[in-house]
Amino acid sequence: MDIEKISFSLISLAGDSFSKLIEALQAAKESDNERVEVLLKEADELMIQAHKEQTEMLIQETRGEKASYSVLLVHAQDTLMNTILASTLIREMIEMYQEIKTIKIEGEK
């Protein structure tokens, strides 16, 4: 099991997903709902790929291929978990932006 390769892949995928989430939040702030949906989908696809990498590593370990743990792997796992948490919070914030926009529009009538 190439822990270094897996670690860098997890960091890259999770980091790219996090970037898409931040872009989606900015698009929501600008009321660009079409872009929000595209970016959230892209973020999800990247996170799914990261989960597949992580799952493969877990499967290999259950087959007896013991992994050598490193600070890099810990960082990779931490990056993925932070992205998952950010996804939950950013999605809530996007909903809030959309509700605020709706309230403002209704108030202007």
Side-chain angles (χ1 to χ4, degrees):
M1 183 180 329
D2 187 350
I3 293 299
E4 188 173 288
K5 181 179 176 185
I6 292 169
S7 296
F8 279 121
S9 181
L10 286 175
I11 291 166
S12 176
L13 291 165
D16 289 348
S17 179
F18 184 83
S19 294
K20 297 289 183 184
L21 291 165
I22 296 299
E23 286 182 57
L25 182 59
Q26 186 61 41
K29 188 175 182 179
E30 297 167 359
S31 300
D32 188 348
N33 293 328
E34 287 181 31
R35 183 148 171 77
V36 168
E37 294 306 316
V38 167
L39 290 164
L40 289 177
K41 185 177 182 205
E42 290 174 1
D44 285 345
E45 289 169 359
L46 290 161
M47 254 194 293
I48 288 168
Q49 287 179 315
H51 270 291
K52 286 180 181 178
E53 297 260 347
Q54 183 184 45
T55 300
E56 183 58 35
M57 184 176 57
L58 293 170
I59 289 169
Q60 288 177 3
E61 188 165 323
T62 61
R63 290 182 182 148
E65 296 177 40
K66 295 296 177 189
S68 58
Y69 296 97
S70 67
V71 173
L72 184 62
L73 179 58
V74 170
H75 176 64
Q77 295 286 14
D78 193 39
T79 301
L80 179 56
M81 292 306 300
N82 282 326
T83 301
I84 292 167
L85 175 60
S87 176
T88 302
L89 296 174
I90 287 170
R91 287 168 194 279
E92 288 295 319
M93 293 171 73
I94 287 170
E95 282 185 39
M96 289 190 308
Y97 274 129
Q98 291 169 339
E99 287 179 27
I100 290 168
K101 180 69 171 180
T102 300
I103 291 168
K104 282 183 177 180
I105 289 170
E106 290 173 2
E108 292 172 359
K109 290 181 182 177

